[in-house]
Amino acid sequence: NDDIGRSWAKQPAAIEGLRIRALDVDRIDAELDQLWLLASRGFSDNFLYTPIEQAEFHDSYRRLLPLVRPDWVLVAEYERRLIGLCLAVPDLLQLRRG
């Protein structure tokens, strides 16, 4: 996507019950709980997948929060259940290069 300024979270849902929104950092523990469930189920059949405990997942991803722009994390929900995630982070090496 060349237009990273476009807010996809503000686009109307084409499917009834589908909602796409930005990560809610004010509810980060609840968000991480949902993301852990999604990742645990979604990747469990993948080659080299190793399950981790929920607390370890929280600890790992909490360390990334200073780098995360909540509007660059899109959460897809269907009937209030998390079904997908799109995560982007700034290219910190590019920032260093100017």
Side-chain angles (χ1 to χ4, degrees), residues 59 68 76 83:
D59 290 343
V68 171
I83 61 168

Side-chain angles (χ1 to χ4, degrees), residues 8-20:
W8 293 98
K10 294 179 184 175
Q11 299 300 312
I15 301 171
E16 187 69 32
L18 177 66
R19 179 177 175 220
I20 299 176

Side-chain angles (χ1 to χ4, degrees), residues 72 88-97:
W72 284 18
V89 293
D91 184 348
L92 298 177
L93 295 177
Q94 181 183 13
L95 289 174
R96 287 184 189 156
R97 291 189 301 268

